[in-house]
């Protein structure tokens, strides 16, 4: 593999660096960058995801930095992390955070939960291989909460043991945190587990919910959780604007009639997707199988499935972040992502509790990620 060298040194004192694996549509990278980190390298096997990730450079102004990110399209099993780090002008041991979430289907309660018997599950050990090679100051490993209970917790115990001692002479203090995105300003119930490791003598103890923060974004007059109405506020109707990824599927009259009859929160028996309720957070956005598909939920007021952009709003992606591809590609990038606002909360905890940096306020993170619509006064 040939990788062009970046033209500017990525590692500077005021901007801890991220080496991102399984980067997908960029949700984790966006959130971390919004609270003071800098994604120096982002990698993924998917062609369209890598095109989407290129916006880490074209949208650098919104993310408060002007240094390039090296985007690498490659299967992690063939990845040479040291060569890629050198191409990004990074040295082993000086990378601040190795981040990423190996494909979660092998661990998900929605799948067959085959764990390491599924080839996708073995990619967790590819993450370990990169960790050994790069020796970062910290790592962030994200996955579905089903990882906690497979084989009575033995799989998680194995992964934590391997991550805490990836090689002779390397030792990480590992925190295991189960977080639901709805507690961090995201208008969606999305339950995830984060393994955060530190080799610099500090660890993340806990991550406080942003719904209890004493700021003007939350008040007794407003509910703590953001809802679907908040997510879709101000979004133009389909076909009336040039906002990217805001086109929907064509439905037959039979499907339209069926969707029209659904009550808020009710599941369609054929497609097995739910109608959203304007006044509640969304159900978890899912992506379908590897063979294709991937559907949004049913729109709360119209007899159709939500567009990829509406799903992106529910995931707290900014409107200026577009997703490459057509049909299933955007919705899979959206559905596989860590919601940027949740990623920002996790990044804040790493920055303050491990690196001793100043905490970024929720207001500033919301502004950086273009999520002001979630908190507009009614």
């Amino acid at each position: 593999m040939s990788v062009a060298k970046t033209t500017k040194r990525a590692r500077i004192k005021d901007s801890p660096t991220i080496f991102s694996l399984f980067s997908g549509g960029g949700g984790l990278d966006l959130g971390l960058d919004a609270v003071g980190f800098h994604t120096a390298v982002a990698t993924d096997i998917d062609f369209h995801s890598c095109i989407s990730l290129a916006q880490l450079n074209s949208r650098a102004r919104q993310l408060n930095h002007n240094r390039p990110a090296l985007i690498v399209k490659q299967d992690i099993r063939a990845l040479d992390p040291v060569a890629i780090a050198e191409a990004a002008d990074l040295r082993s041991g000086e990378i601040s955070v190795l981040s990423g979430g190996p494909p979660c289907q092998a661990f998900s309660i929605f799948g067959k939960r085959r764990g390491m018997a599924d080839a996708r599950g073995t990619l967790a050990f590819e993450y370990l291989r990169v960790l050994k090679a790069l020796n970062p100051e910290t790592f962030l490993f994200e996955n579905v909460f089903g990882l906690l209970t497979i084989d009575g917790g033995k799989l998680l115990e194995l992964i934590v043991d391997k991550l805490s001692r990836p090689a002779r002479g390397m030792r990480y203090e590992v925190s295991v945190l189960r977080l639901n995105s709805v507690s961090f300003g995201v208008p969606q119930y999305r339950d995830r587990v984060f393994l955060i490791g530190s080799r610099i003598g500090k660890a993340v103890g806990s991550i406080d919910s942003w719904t209890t923060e004493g700021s003007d974004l939350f008040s007794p007059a407003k509910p703590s959780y953001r809802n679907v109405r908040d997510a879709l506020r101000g979004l133009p109707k389909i076909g009336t604007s040039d906002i990217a990824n805001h086109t929907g599927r064509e439905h037959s009259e039979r499907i339209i009639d069926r969707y029209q009859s659904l009550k808020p929160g009710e599941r369609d028996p054929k497609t097995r997707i739910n109608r959203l309720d304007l006044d509640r957070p969304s159900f978890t956005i899912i992506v379908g199988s590897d063979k294709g598909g991937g559907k949004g939920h049913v729109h709360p007021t119209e007899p159709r499935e939500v567009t990829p952009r509406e799903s992106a709003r529910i995931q707290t992606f900014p409107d200026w972040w577009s997703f490459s591809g057509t049909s299933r590609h955007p919705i899979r990038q959206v559905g596989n992502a860590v919601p940027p606002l949740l990623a920002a909360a996790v990044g804040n905890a790493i920055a303050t509790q491990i690196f001793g940096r100043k905490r970024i306020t929720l207001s500033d993170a919301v502004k950086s990620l273009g999520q002001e619509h979630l908190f507009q006064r009614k």
Side-chain angles (χ1 to χ4, degrees):
M1 178 196 64
S2 175
V3 178
K5 193 177 181 69
T6 57
T7 58
K8 298 181 181 179
R9 184 159 179 75
R11 168 71 164 177
I12 64 171
K13 181 178 180 180
D14 293 331
S15 186
T17 50
I18 303 292
F19 192 113
S20 173
L21 302 174
F22 308 103
S23 305
L28 190 55
D29 303 280
L30 276 169
L32 294 173
D33 281 16
V35 292
F37 290 90
H38 164 57
T39 300
V41 176
T43 71
D44 203 274
I45 192 174
D46 178 60
F47 171 79
H48 288 290
S49 292
C50 288
I51 293 177
S52 300
L53 289 166
Q55 294 170 102
L56 289 168
N57 295 322
S58 63
R59 294 293 186 174
R61 182 170 54 84
Q62 281 95 336
L63 298 171
N64 304 312
H65 63 73
N66 291 299
R67 291 174 306 285
L70 180 63
I71 311 301
V72 178
K73 178 192 174 300
Q74 193 165 38
D75 187 328
I76 190 173
R77 291 167 290 195
L79 204 69
D80 183 341
V82 174
I84 291 171
E86 289 177 353
D89 205 9
L90 296 170
R91 300 185 184 94
S92 178
E94 74 169 11
I95 294 167
S96 303
V97 183
L98 175 69
S99 70
C104 64
Q105 290 89 340
F107 306 134
S108 175
I109 62 169
F110 296 109
K112 296 181 180 179
R113 291 170 59 88
R114 297 179 61 207
M116 304 311 292
D118 189 316
R120 294 167 300 189
T122 63
L123 295 180
F125 288 97
E126 289 297 324
Y127 181 104
L128 178 67
R129 177 180 68 84
V130 177
L131 179 66
K132 291 179 184 179
L134 295 181
N135 189 28
E137 293 174 294
T138 63
F139 68 78
L140 173 58
F141 180 108
E142 177 268 343
N143 223 283
V144 294
F145 76 92
L147 179 62
L148 298 173
T149 57
I150 290 178
D151 293 332
K154 292 181 180 179
L155 177 60
L156 175 66
E157 184 179 341
L158 172 64
I159 291 175
V160 170
D161 181 65
K162 294 293 186 182
L163 290 173
S164 63
R165 297 176 178 83
R168 180 173 296 181
M170 292 176 66
R171 175 68 183 269
Y172 287 87
E173 184 73 25
V174 181
S175 302
V176 180
L177 302 169
R178 181 177 176 178
L179 304 175
N180 198 308
S181 63
V182 77
S183 296
F184 299 92
V186 180
Q188 175 193 177
Y189 293 108
R190 192 177 188 87
D191 204 349
R192 289 297 185 268
V193 62
F194 292 85
L195 309 183
I196 302 173
S198 167
R199 65 166 173 80
I200 57 180
K202 300 178 182 179
V204 173
S206 62
I207 301 179
D208 294 333
S209 166
W210 269 352
T211 60
T212 58
E213 179 178 312
S215 77
D216 60 356
L217 294 182
F218 292 102
S219 72
K222 292 180 69 68
S224 293
Y225 291 165
R226 305 299 89 190
N227 57 37
V228 173
R229 189 187 306 274
D230 297 321
L232 302 183
R233 182 178 292 119
L235 188 63
K237 287 187 175 295
I238 296 176
T240 63
S241 75
D242 58 358
I243 294 178
N245 311 120
H246 194 32
T247 55
R249 293 176 178 231
E250 293 289 336
H251 299 313
S252 67
E253 286 299 323
R254 178 172 51 86
I255 292 177
I256 291 172
D257 290 343
R258 207 169 66 235
Y259 286 170
Q260 185 73 64
S261 68
L262 292 175
K263 297 177 181 178
E266 188 176 0
R267 171 166 290 192
D268 178 67
K270 299 292 186 181
T271 58
R272 299 184 62 78
I273 56 177
N274 305 291
R275 185 159 206 173
L276 298 175
D277 186 329
L278 281 174
D279 297 315
R280 293 178 58 83
S282 168
F283 301 94
T284 301
I285 294 173
I286 57 177
V287 298
S289 71
D290 287 341
K291 295 180 180 179
K295 299 178 180 180
H297 297 295
V298 179
H299 192 275
T301 62
E302 300 176 22
R304 61 172 177 82
E305 293 164 18
V306 293
T307 67
R309 176 54 52 193
E310 289 164 335
S311 289
R313 278 284 192 102
I314 291 169
Q315 282 278 57
T316 66
F317 277 97
D319 288 345
W320 46 259
W321 188 265
S322 61
F323 301 91
S324 175
T326 58
S327 186
R328 67 184 176 89
H329 298 111
I331 190 58
R332 288 182 64 77
Q333 291 174 61
V334 172
N336 276 324
V338 176
L341 267 186
L342 174 58
V346 175
N348 243 342
I350 294 172
T352 57
Q353 297 182 42
I354 295 179
F355 292 107
R357 296 173 63 84
K358 182 179 178 181
R359 183 178 184 276
I360 302 298
T361 67
L362 173 56
S363 298
D364 285 343
V366 164
K367 182 177 180 180
S368 180
L369 292 169
Q371 298 301 302
E372 294 92 337
H373 57 274
L374 288 173
F375 301 94
Q376 289 178 1
R377 301 292 183 185
K378 291 185 175 64

